[in-house]
Amino acid sequence: MKGHYKNILCVLSNAHRQDDTVAQALHIAKAHQASLTIMLSLEALPPNASMVMESFSYIDSQQSMETQARHWLKEQAENWGEQYDVSTAVTVGQPLIDVVHYVIRNDIDLVIKRAEESFLDRLFGSLDMRLFRKCPCPVWIINHKPRSQYKNVVAALDLNYHYPTHEVSIRRDLNRDILQHAAQIALLEFAQLHIVHVFDAVPENIARDGFITVDNDRMETDLAKIHSEREEELERLLTELSNELDENVWEYLNPQKHIVHGYPRREIAATTTSLDTDIIVMGTVARLGVPGYIMGSTAEETIHQLKCAVVGVKPRGFESPISAE
């Protein structure tokens, strides 16, 4: 079953308030008996640092920063290693590129990172958002809620398959992967699994603008058909998942379905909030066009409205625009 992790990378951006992040990574690694590497990934000093601040040499300061970082991480790892065997790595450069290079070269299948303050403040350009866009493996961004409070896990699925044939299989596989990752997390955390799908009829969406009129009776009929279509597809996915699990495990998991009619960019986050969600698993790349270049706009807007932990999953065949070289 997908969602079973073998090689986990826990990324730290600084030396402050990282114990909860590492504790979560240790918790997940233990449950999956996975190898765990803790990486301290720091921004390099700018090339003109010695010109801006004449009080230090750029080269000496760069080397000193890396030396101190390695010393700090080694000391911390001795304490963390008492709970579970960990490896360490320190990079000083461009964190996004350094993390993705490490992921590709070391066959990492899960990246765990604490949310940056800018992530929670809904600012673009943070390392979190760039990892969601460009890291080839699932990325788990945790918030500041203690792990023991995980009660509700949401799998956000896009069950709309009205796309070209070659794209439908990619979307189906992505839904399977999201569901399997969410199920693993729910079982790991002894949490309730919720499955959320939000659908919006195209005529209704256009009608909101007020420039055309639609037949309301026909539209209600169409909405009922769409709801039935999405419900049938969800049942197929759940049947596949149940066939991969022991009967007792499936009965314990007991996923709750939420097929919601509304505007996805608003209702996914609203439904997640109403369910008191601790973590949501969702796709973060809409299609495979230009490899990893654009995050799905619905996913991006949804993430900016969330206050819970997020696991971003890429479609199969995704290639990061950042090469391993």
Side-chain angles (χ1 to χ4, degrees):
M1 175 175 164
K2 270 190 174 292
H4 181 79
Y5 311 117
K6 295 180 180 178
N7 298 303
I8 297 173
L9 178 66
C10 176
V11 177
L12 310 181
S13 297
N14 54 58
H16 304 293
R17 300 178 299 170
Q18 297 293 356
D19 286 342
D20 286 347
T21 308
V22 174
Q24 179 77 328
L26 288 168
H27 171 62
I28 297 166
K30 287 179 185 178
H32 291 264
Q33 288 300 290
S35 66
L36 174 61
T37 300
I38 300 174
M39 171 188 282
L40 179 58
S41 186
L42 304 174
E43 290 271 2
L45 294 172
N48 64 342
S50 59
M51 296 175 62
V52 175
M53 297 180 64
E54 296 179 358
S55 59
F56 63 82
S57 163
Y58 167 71
I59 295 177
D60 289 346
S61 298
Q62 187 91 347
Q63 291 175 341
S64 174
M65 180 170 67
E66 185 169 349
T67 298
Q68 291 185 46
R70 292 186 185 281
H71 178 70
W72 176 84
L73 188 58
K74 181 181 178 181
E75 282 190 342
Q76 295 299 313
E78 289 176 358
N79 295 327
W80 297 327
E82 293 177 1
Q83 304 175 52
Y84 193 78
D85 186 38
V86 300
S87 301
T88 59
V90 173
T91 63
V92 179
Q94 300 179 65
L96 174 67
I97 294 174
D98 292 338
V99 170
V100 172
H101 281 177
Y102 194 94
V103 165
I104 295 172
R105 292 168 182 166
N106 294 277
D107 198 24
I108 299 297
D109 50 24
L110 177 67
V111 169
I112 299 172
K113 185 181 175 298
R114 179 190 176 94
E116 298 175 6
E117 295 301 325
S118 59
F119 174 81
L120 295 178
D121 290 340
R122 308 179 185 182
L123 297 182
F124 284 89
S126 71
L127 178 57
D128 302 325
M129 295 301 294
R130 287 180 286 161
L131 285 171
F132 278 140
R133 296 184 187 108
K134 297 181 179 181
C135 182
C137 72
V139 176
W140 185 328
I141 302 294
I142 67 173
N143 60 353
H144 313 298
K145 186 180 292 186
R147 175 182 56 79
S148 60
Q149 294 182 18
Y150 274 35
K151 297 278 194 301
N152 295 293
V153 178
V154 164
L157 305 182
D158 181 359
L159 302 172
N160 179 9
Y161 296 150
H162 295 274
Y163 289 93
T165 303
H166 68 278
E167 211 173 299
V168 171
S169 62
I170 294 171
R171 289 176 174 270
R172 277 203 169 103
D173 285 341
L174 179 58
N175 280 329
R176 291 185 185 102
D177 292 345
I178 291 169
L179 189 53
Q180 289 173 336
H181 280 284
Q184 283 279 8
I185 294 170
L187 292 171
L188 172 65
E189 298 292 335
F190 302 101
Q192 176 64 59
L193 174 61
H194 299 271
I195 302 164
V196 171
H197 169 66
V198 178
F199 71 94
D200 189 22
V202 174
E204 184 189 28
N205 188 30
I206 296 173
R208 282 199 198 97
D209 297 329
F211 296 113
I212 65 170
T213 58
V214 296
D215 184 323
N216 288 328
D217 291 337
R218 289 285 297 274
M219 188 170 69
E220 289 301 321
T221 300
D222 288 342
L223 288 174
K225 289 180 179 178
I226 293 173
H227 188 282
S228 177
E229 168 192 283
R230 307 298 163 81
E231 195 167 36
E232 287 177 10
E233 176 56 30
L234 181 52
E235 284 302 321
R236 281 193 289 270
L237 288 169
L238 291 176
T239 298
E240 290 178 7
L241 180 62
S242 67
N243 290 337
E244 297 181 17
L245 300 172
D246 291 338
E247 185 176 348
N248 291 338
V249 174
W250 178 247
E251 289 180 0
Y252 174 80
L253 195 60
N254 188 29
Q256 303 298 301
K257 299 176 291 184
H258 308 270
I259 299 180
V260 180
H261 172 222
Y263 195 40
R265 299 184 186 193
R266 180 180 62 244
E267 293 301 330
I268 293 174
T271 303
T272 298
T273 299
S274 71
L275 293 172
D276 194 24
T277 301
D278 298 297
I279 182 166
I280 182 173
V281 184
M282 61 190 297
T284 55
V285 174
R287 53 184 62 188
L288 292 179
V290 178
Y293 186 67
I294 299 175
M295 182 191 289
S297 57
T298 297
E300 188 131 349
E301 288 192 33
T302 298
I303 287 171
H304 284 314
Q305 299 173 58
L306 297 172
K307 294 296 184 181
C308 63
V310 181
V311 177
V313 180
K314 307 294 192 303
R316 300 179 194 180
F318 172 89
E319 294 181 9
S320 174
I322 301 172
S323 70
E325 299 301 325

